[in-house]
Structures are given as structure tokens and as C-alpha cells.
Amino acid sequence: MLQAERLAVQRGGRRVLSGIDLELRPGELLGVLGPNGAGKSSLLAALCGELRPLEGQVRLDGRPLAGWPGPERARRLAVLPQSPALEFAFRVEEVVGFGRLPHASGRRRDAEIVARALAAADATHLAGRSYLTLSGGERQRVHLARVMAQLWPGGAQQVLLLDEPTSMLDPLHQHSILQAVREFAGQGTAVLAILHDLNLAARYCDRLLLLAEGCMQALGCPEEVLRAGPLKAVFGLDVLVQRHPERGHPLIVAR
Amino acid sequence: MSAFVRRPRVLLIALTLLLLLAFWLSLALGPLRLPLVDSLLALLRLAGVPLSGAGLEQAELIVGQIRLPRALLGLAVGSVLALSGVAMQALFRNPLADPGLIGVSSGAALGAALAIVGGSLFGAGVPPEESPYLLSASAFAGGLAVTALVYRLGRRDGQTRVATMLLAGLALSALAGAAIGLFGYLADDAALRRLTFWNLGSLSGASYARLWPLLLATLGVALWLPRRAGALNALLLGESEARHLGFEVERLKRELVLCTALGVGAAVAAAGLVGFVGLLVPHLLRLLCGPDHRLLLPAAMLGGASLLLFADLLARLLLAPAELPLGIVTALLGAPFFLWLLRREPL
């Protein structure tokens, strides 16, 4: 499983993360919250090996990330970046099929997985279209299908890192996509997602990490983290925290 | 973008037939027109099949000495330019990238100018029959040297930055252009004329001796690039995305630059500057078969070779018995077609 120990990261000569101790747990959806510039994306980049840590290290299964051969690591760890730029007219199922590149599971099995991943991301109807004709939200769902296909069907050995997977989605799809991610985590995969919407985080995440100025401010279940005090300290926002009338999770309203 | 070919095999077979036709016509047509059948029979005779017939000996001579090396040269130049175009478009993740971007063409032009003008100014010692080889070697070395410099300038902290490389390529190309201009200023009329024609490209200097290095380079590129088709697909998503998919992106970029430098360097050394093939062919084929490199690479190879052979046919037939420089034909055909593509739909 993915583990960060005393992680510190520098970017452009500036320390953007320090003292991060974090373990992703199988089957769990961990939400990362924090204001702009808090180090959320840096954390994700460090967790997947894109940024070299200044101190501490990231281990996958107890082995430092750098020690993993590329394809083997790719079968265990998938990353959804914030805004993938693809300027070529691939068909949607080809883009999702890229998730199968680290595998040698055969064309038929790959096609089946691509279809299932598309269905999971509610993007089946996009199959056959050129990627370039899709809207921002549709592209985001296609890339989510791609990273799910990379780990499909998901299991306790695997890790999925998502950078703002709902940033371009309409309200319905913000819910249906996070529900899909939850179900994917239900197969055993450890999922970390950077989120901005506190209520979405409250509803779908098992644990939340509150990040500010590169440091961990709170880590725990939504009820522990989403309290008026810490939220005011981190976001500078006065909020009321109530209980969701039907589901019981915290409901955050700006005052 | 609707008309992706659903049956890739059909496209590859069609392109192969097109290439065979282009090759056949290249053997038969020219200032002296051979009957189509004779050009094939001459090829068989060259291969050692004992055939005899009226005019076959002459046909064998023309095909063997002139047209076969020329057709092979065109085939190699066209396919390696198109393949390098695909490689550069993947490296820069931009369908408008051209093999010239990393400085290989302008470096080769500089090398050629050095050989031509330098040869005419100081090179009394080089026997005239060896000067084409000196020119090729100098062009090849110039292409490699400038590309190596562009690559070095793009490296920082153990990473190759393609945006920096692009800018370095532009700057060094401008510098090479200035140097070539200076050589042109210093050159006498004969050298200036050679320089001008070399810059426009031509297959007319074809000989087996000049063919081998290019055939080897082309074979290397043609065998190596398709093995990286999956990695090239992933690279189009972005460098980090390709790394997340398990590919060694730094090595891949290094290999792509090396491949293009060798392939385009050898092509330019053998045939001068032939524009538009590396840009146009991949573009056109993406319209037909989509951007998947597993299909695009073999298609570009076949398509590039066919286009170059047809362009060369026009070059030698339009003003026969005189010959147009090949680069003029590819630009005349390529530029309007490219504009039409641009206007037609965003790629």
C-alpha cells in the first residue's frame, strides 16, 4: 500500500510540503481538501513519483517508488491529472484503451475492460466519438475511465490518485462520478482524490485530509475534520456545520 | 473527423499497391520512356533471370544504372521523412510539428553550404568525383551537430524540455540561415547555383554508393519506431501521463531525437532539402486512419515513399528533358493541400 513518511517537497526553491505522514488504506476513499496553493497537487505529484521528495520518502508495498520498474508500477498505481492536454483525434475508446498499455491482457479482454470502465464513468454513449469533439466534462469522464481501466477491476494491491476529478462536471455527474469512484474503491483499491466541494467530500469520502501551507492540519473521518474551527483556520471561511437530514453526514453552509 | 478507416488492413494494402505503382512508374518513365513491361523485365534481368528481347539490354542499363537507384532513393527519403514527421509530432505533442524543428535540416544545409562554398574557395585538393560524397558527409555531420546542440540546450536537471528544444531549434536554425547566407555571399556563381539547387532537393544524384547509408538509416528507423508505437500513443497524452502508464519518457525522447537526426540527416545528405513530406504525410494519413501509431507508422512509411516517388515523377516529366528541383514540386503540391486541410477541419 502507498505510504508517505515525513515527506517534504520543494518546488522552484520553495518548500511546498513538509512533515507529511500518510498511509492510504485499501478500499478507502481519502479526500484531500485545502485552499489554493496549499500543496494538494504537489502532494499528489510526490505520491506518484513525479516530484522527488526533499526529505522522507514514498513507498508502495514497502518499496520506494523509484525502485519500481515502470510497467509494474503502472499496473499498481494510476494517476488522473487535472487537465490532460490531448491534441489528437483519438476515438474515445482508444483513449480509454491507453490505460491497458502497461498490461498484456490481450485485445479481447482489453476491449471488455474498456467497455466496463466507460460504463463506470457514465461515458458509454461517447464511444466512437473523437476525443477532440468532447466537452471538458466529457473529457474528464473519459480520462477517469482510462485510469480505472488501467487498474481494472481494482483490488487491495492498487492505488488510484485523482486530481480534482469533478472540477468540470455538472452537478449530477459530480455525484455519479464520485459514486463510481466509491464503488471502484469498494473493490479494494485505495483512492486519494483532491476535492474542492466540502459537501461532496463529506458525502463520499471515508477519511479527509485538510492541508494548509504544505502541512497536514487535520486527518480523520469527515465528522472530525469538517468542523467550523478547522475550516475557519484553513479556509478563513465562517461556516455552519449541520447534519444532512437524510444521510447524517456533515453538511457545510457558509454563514 | 468521421472517416477513420475501420479496416486498417485495407488501408495498408491500398497504400502498398500505390507504392508499387509509383515504384513501377519511376522505373518506366523519364526523358526516355520505357514500355511498362520492359521496365519489369529489365528488373528481372538485373536480378539474374536470363531474359532477352528487343531493347531489353538498353532498358536494363537505364533501369539498373539510373532509375532503380533513383527510385530506391526516393522510397527511402520519402519513408524516412514521413516517419520522422510522425516522431516529431509525437515528441512535441503537436500535429503541426515538422522534422526540421530540432535543427537537423538547417544543420544539414549549413554542412552542405560549407562543403560547396568552402570546397570552391579552398578545396582545390578534392577530386571532383569525390565532391558529392564530401557534400553528403558534410551535410549529415552538420545535421547531427546542430541537433545535438539543440538537444543539449533543451536539457536541464536531467530532463529534456521539449518547449526549450523547440525554441533552441528556432534560434539555431536562424543562426544557420545567417551562416548559409554569408556563404552564399562569399560564393562564386557556380557554387551559388549548386547551393541553390541543393537547397531545393533532388533525386538526380542517385547512385548506389550514396544510397547505402540512407537505406541503413531508413531501415533502422522503420524497424525501431513501430516498436515504440504504444509509448508514442501514451506520449500524446503528456509526458507525466506516459510516465504514469509505465513508460521511460526521458529515454523515449532521447531515442526520438536520435532517430530523427539520423534519418532526416541521411535523407537530406542524399537528396537535399525536400520540404513538406514530413509535415503533410502524417497529417493526411491521420485523416484516413486516425492517430493510433500502430497503424499510422506503417501507413506514413508507405504513403511518404509513394508521395515522394510521384513528386519525383512530376519533377522529371513536367519540363522534360530538363528537370525541376524536387523540393519545388513537393512544396507546390504540399502547401496548397496543407492549407486546404487546415481550413477543412481542426485536426
Side-chain angles (χ1 to χ4, degrees), chain B residues 4-69:
Chain B
F4 291 170
V5 169
R6 299 285 168 180
R7 275 173 291 177
R9 210 169 288 165
V10 176
L11 177 74
L12 290 183
I13 290 172
L15 285 171
T16 307
L17 292 177
L18 188 71
L19 178 58
L20 288 176
L21 176 69
F23 198 82
W24 189 7
L25 292 178
S26 294
L27 296 182
L29 301 183
L32 196 141
R33 183 164 302 186
L34 297 175
L36 283 173
V37 179
D38 281 14
S39 64
L40 282 191
L41 294 179
L43 208 54
L44 288 177
R45 262 179 74 115
L46 280 169
V49 181
L51 294 166
S52 56
L56 265 193
E57 261 167 51
Q58 193 203 10
E60 183 186 349
L61 198 67
I62 292 176
V63 169
Q65 293 302 307
I66 301 169
R67 295 206 184 143
L68 183 60

Side-chain angles (χ1 to χ4, degrees), chain A residues 4-47:
Chain A
E5 290 161 14
R6 301 184 327 280
L7 192 65
V9 171
Q10 210 170 19
R11 223 171 188 175
R14 210 173 67 87
R15 201 176 249 254
V16 289
L17 281 179
S18 38
I20 303 288
D21 275 296
L22 188 65
E23 186 183 1
L24 306 193
R25 299 173 185 161
E28 182 187 76
L29 174 52
L30 171 72
V32 179
L33 298 168
N36 297 338
K40 302 185 293 295
S41 292
S42 299
L43 174 62
L44 190 134
L47 287 180

Side-chain angles (χ1 to χ4, degrees), chain B residues 265-335:
Chain B
V268 174
L273 294 178
V274 181
F276 268 103
V277 179
L279 181 61
L280 189 73
V281 172
H283 244 294
L284 180 63
L285 287 167
R286 265 192 215 99
L287 283 183
L288 288 173
C289 69
D292 187 340
H293 287 95
R294 285 171 301 177
L295 181 55
L296 180 60
L297 285 167
M301 192 163 65
L302 295 168
S306 310
L307 178 78
L308 208 89
L309 288 179
F310 280 121
D312 184 52
L313 276 172
L314 285 180
R316 57 176 125 139
L317 292 178
L318 280 179
L319 298 182
E323 228 178 75
L324 264 177
L326 181 59
I328 293 182
V329 179
T330 55
L332 272 179
L333 289 177

Side-chain angles (χ1 to χ4, degrees), chain B residues 22-254:
Chain B
F23 198 82
W24 189 7
L25 292 178
S26 294
L27 296 182
L29 301 183
L32 196 141
R33 183 164 302 186
L34 297 175
L36 283 173
V37 179
D38 281 14
S39 64
L40 282 191
L41 294 179
L43 208 54
L44 288 177
R45 262 179 74 115
L46 280 169
V49 181
L51 294 166
S52 56
L56 265 193
E57 261 167 51
Q58 193 203 10
E60 183 186 349
L61 198 67
I62 292 176
V63 169
Q65 293 302 307
I66 301 169
R67 295 206 184 143
L68 183 60
R70 184 170 183 149
L72 287 173
L73 181 66
L75 185 127
V77 168
S79 51
V80 86
L81 286 180
L83 284 173
S84 306
V86 175
M88 285 302 98
Q89 289 159 12
L91 178 68
F92 289 105
R93 293 195 299 287
N94 189 321
L96 294 177
D98 173 269
L101 280 182
I102 56 168
V104 54
S105 313
S106 48
L110 181 59
L114 192 67
I116 292 170
V117 181
S120 79
L121 286 181
F122 323 105
V126 180
E129 69 273 14
E130 281 178 21
S131 77
Y133 303 109
L134 179 71
L135 172 57
S136 290
S138 177
F140 186 67
L144 277 193
V146 172
T147 310
L149 195 54
V150 167
Y151 180 73
R152 282 294 310 164
L153 290 169
R155 299 272 302 170
R156 192 173 291 172
D157 306 332
Q159 291 202 327
T160 315
R161 306 182 174 206
V162 294
T164 313
M165 260 179 60
L166 182 92
L167 295 172
L170 277 176
L172 285 179
S173 293
L175 206 57
I180 294 166
L182 190 65
F183 279 121
Y185 182 73
L186 294 174
D188 56 33
D189 281 353
L192 191 58
R193 196 174 155 75
R194 269 187 83 195
L195 187 58
T196 308
F197 274 100
W198 189 86
N199 275 331
L200 292 171
S202 171
L203 300 184
S204 59
S207 69
Y208 291 108
R210 291 177 80 179
L211 197 54
W212 289 120
L214 173 62
L215 281 183
L216 278 180
T218 307
L219 198 66
V221 174
L223 287 177
W224 179 79
L225 269 185
R227 295 164 57 98
R228 295 288 184 271
L232 291 173
N233 281 344
L235 191 58
L236 294 184
L237 283 173
E239 291 186 13
S240 333
E241 285 76 4
R243 269 192 290 275
H244 298 326
L245 285 167
F247 295 103
E248 281 183 64
V249 173
E250 287 307 317
R251 203 180 81 186
L252 179 66
K253 288 191 284 188
R254 202 162 53 235

Side-chain angles (χ1 to χ4, degrees), chain A residues 11-160:
Chain A
R11 223 171 188 175
R14 210 173 67 87
R15 201 176 249 254
V16 289
L17 281 179
S18 38
I20 303 288
D21 275 296
L22 188 65
E23 186 183 1
L24 306 193
R25 299 173 185 161
E28 182 187 76
L29 174 52
L30 171 72
V32 179
L33 298 168
N36 297 338
K40 302 185 293 295
S41 292
S42 299
L43 174 62
L44 190 134
L47 287 180
C48 67
E50 274 297 290
L51 278 180
R52 263 176 205 290
L54 185 68
E55 294 162 17
Q57 60 180 341
V58 179
R59 297 166 186 270
L60 181 60
D61 267 3
R63 201 157 128 204
L65 264 190
W68 283 80
E72 205 178 315
R73 197 191 62 198
R75 290 192 287 268
R76 301 282 302 274
L77 172 68
V79 184
L80 178 73
Q82 221 172 86
S83 50
L86 177 60
E87 305 289 336
F88 292 81
F90 284 102
R91 273 177 283 134
V92 162
E93 58 273 30
E94 289 178 315
V95 177
V96 179
F98 290 164
R100 301 305 297 169
L101 282 172
H103 301 263
S105 39
R107 187 177 294 193
R108 183 179 296 180
R109 174 84 180 126
D110 286 352
E112 188 184 308
I113 289 173
V114 165
R116 290 194 185 178
L118 274 171
D122 191 20
T124 301
H125 61 289
L126 300 177
R129 292 215 2 223
S130 159
Y131 176 83
L132 297 183
T133 66
L134 303 183
S135 76
E138 288 169 335
R139 290 180 183 194
Q140 204 168 25
R141 275 146 60 199
V142 167
H143 283 293
L144 182 69
R146 170 172 68 80
V147 294
M148 289 201 284
Q150 188 178 337
L151 301 179
W152 200 267
Q157 303 272 299
Q158 295 180 309
V159 181
L160 178 59

Side-chain angles (χ1 to χ4, degrees), chain A residues 181-200:
Chain A
V181 169
R182 264 234 62 90
E183 280 163 21
F184 192 72
Q187 301 293 313
T189 305
V191 184
L192 175 146
I194 294 174
L195 294 170
H196 270 301
D197 187 313
L198 302 176
N199 287 312
L200 283 175

